[in-house]
Amino acid sequence: MVEKRLDRKVTVILATDVVGYSKHVEENESLTIKTYSSREVILLNLIEDFGGRVFNTGGDSVLAEFSSAVDAVECAAAFQLCIAEINSLPETECRLEFRVGVNMGDVVQKDTDLLGDGVNIAARLEAFAQQNGVCISKSVYDLVASKTDLAFNDLGPQSVKNNKFHAFDLILPHTKK
């Protein structure tokens, strides 16, 4: 009997996570959850507006797929700029900060979920990003650098948990170079 082949494809993955979410929950669970829910609505709307699809969530994180690297990075930038603006308002009670990672790679599609190194590296890039920042892989950088007005800082080759990748920080008004 022939073993069924895995359903593979190349796609762009955007991974987000809240910085210090557990600490926020410990301080004020109700406010944190309400605040996250309102920020998640912003993120989900932007993902849809930029042509992405959410394929997995987990508490304070979202994984989305895009067919365009430009759309994924512009979505990430728009989200971080929106969150920075909200957090700068004096009336904002709970200032949740996010990290975003964007990678293009080979993934395995299992039902509506995506698995594999393409997703894992996006998650590593997210963890590597500055607070309120976006970190992208070289494969994404090569596609977006000449097609957007966005600026990037070359972080060079990185190695995290058996994943090796070349990373770039997106330079935003509220992040450090």
Side-chain angles (χ1 to χ4, degrees):
M1 184 167 148
V2 177
E3 188 175 322
K4 184 180 175 194
R5 292 181 47 81
L6 295 174
D7 184 10
R8 293 185 173 277
K9 64 180 177 178
V10 174
T11 193
V12 181
I13 305 297
L14 179 146
T16 68
D17 194 49
V18 177
V19 177
Y21 185 76
S22 296
K23 182 180 135 239
H24 282 285
V25 169
E26 288 171 11
E27 290 174 5
N28 189 332
E29 181 181 62
S30 180
L31 178 61
T32 300
I33 292 170
K34 286 178 186 175
T35 302
Y36 177 75
S37 294
S38 68
R39 304 307 182 261
E40 184 182 42
V41 167
I42 294 166
L43 176 61
L44 298 178
N45 286 336
L46 284 169
I47 289 169
E48 184 178 328
D49 290 348
F50 281 90
R53 172 188 79 88
V54 173
F55 65 88
N56 203 328
T57 62
D60 64 327
S61 65
V62 172
L63 291 168
E65 168 188 31
F66 291 80
S67 59
S68 162
V70 171
D71 288 344
V73 173
E74 288 182 344
C75 177
F79 176 65
Q80 290 293 40
L81 290 169
C82 184
I83 295 302
E85 183 178 327
I86 291 168
N87 285 343
S88 72
L89 300 173
E91 64 269 16
T92 301
E93 281 186 83
C94 182
R95 289 173 172 79
L96 295 181
E97 297 176 318
F98 292 77
R99 289 186 176 105
V100 180
V102 182
N103 181 48
M104 182 180 72
D106 194 75
V107 299
V108 174
Q109 177 130 10
K110 184 178 179 199
D111 300 322
T112 59
D113 203 1
L114 300 176
L115 311 165
D117 276 348
V119 178
N120 294 343
I121 292 172
R124 304 287 181 253
L125 288 160
E126 172 272 309
F128 203 72
Q130 295 182 50
Q131 290 184 196
N132 306 307
V134 178
C135 191
I136 67 172
S137 64
K138 185 172 185 330
S139 60
V140 171
Y141 173 82
D142 289 343
L143 292 171
V144 303
S146 64
K147 294 181 177 88
T148 69
D149 293 331
L150 300 170
F152 301 90
N153 183 37
D154 187 344
L155 301 175
Q158 306 297 320
S159 182
V160 180
K161 291 187 180 180
N162 297 325
N163 291 125
K164 294 181 181 187
F165 49 86
H166 192 124
F168 292 79
D169 252 348
L170 173 59
I171 299 171
L172 295 167
H174 58 271
T175 60
K176 301 172 188 167
K177 182 169 180 185

